[in-house]
Amino acid sequence: MKFDLTINKKNYTVDVEDGTPLLWVLRDELELVGTKFGCGIGECGACTVHIDGKAERSCQQMVELVEGKEITTIEGLSENGEYPVQEAWKTIDVPQCGYCQSGQIMTASAFLNKNHQPSKEEIRMAMHGNLCRCASYNRIEKAVGLASSQMQESKQVKV
């Protein structure tokens, strides 16, 4: 079946079976491999993308259900990795293995677009559903806080 998708502000037509998870459309059909496969059951967060601005697990979103929606992947967050959350990740040197980081960054950016001045507890609650095999949680929380400050200074809050 053919599906028309809007991903990173570009239009794509993909020919895949009904019921194909968005994750595999992104990775296998469109070669947008920044979105990672982690668990396949929506528990780890490695495959997080934005769908209409909300952080969603792409392994759980069937292609037919996202047609007509605005999808943003890590590749679409910023052209050169300059989005404040990405900059904060670099400043704090968050990643160890880096595998979960695109999902972490996508979750953090969607969260900060809704909550511009979060407390440490709010950051912790927003990020708790994304698993990090290297246990970089303290640096992740610190980077989200730094990104929030940077976004407030630059008045950049919406993707």
Side-chain angles (χ1 to χ4, degrees), residues 42-56:
E43 292 293 321
C44 74
C47 68
T48 302
V49 298
H50 296 173
I51 299 176
D52 289 339
K54 185 178 177 202
E56 299 282 358

Side-chain angles (χ1 to χ4, degrees), residues 5 11 19 48 57-58 62 70 77 79 85 100 113 132 151:
L5 303 175
N11 296 320
T48 302
R57 308 295 205 238
S58 63
M62 300 307 116
E70 183 68 35
L77 200 55
E79 196 166 311
V85 177
C100 70
N113 282 331
C132 176
M151 290 169 86

Side-chain angles (χ1 to χ4, degrees), residues 54-120:
K54 185 178 177 202
E56 299 282 358
R57 308 295 205 238
S58 63
C59 71
Q60 298 296 295
Q61 299 295 318
M62 300 307 116
V63 67
E64 64 271 15
L65 300 177
V66 297
E67 196 171 25
K69 297 183 179 189
E70 183 68 35
I71 301 161
T72 305
T73 68
I74 190 76
E75 293 92 347
L77 200 55
S78 71
E79 196 166 311
N80 299 309
E82 300 165 342
Y83 193 71
V85 177
Q86 293 168 306
E87 290 291 336
W89 244 249
K90 291 183 257 183
T91 299
I92 302 296
D93 195 23
V94 172
Q96 286 186 36
C97 81
Y99 197 82
C100 70
Q101 297 311 302
S102 63
Q104 298 275 4
I105 288 168
M106 295 305 286
T107 297
S109 61
F111 166 66
L112 291 175
N113 282 331
K114 288 186 168 69
N115 186 340
H116 308 307
Q117 295 181 320
S119 67
K120 280 183 124 180

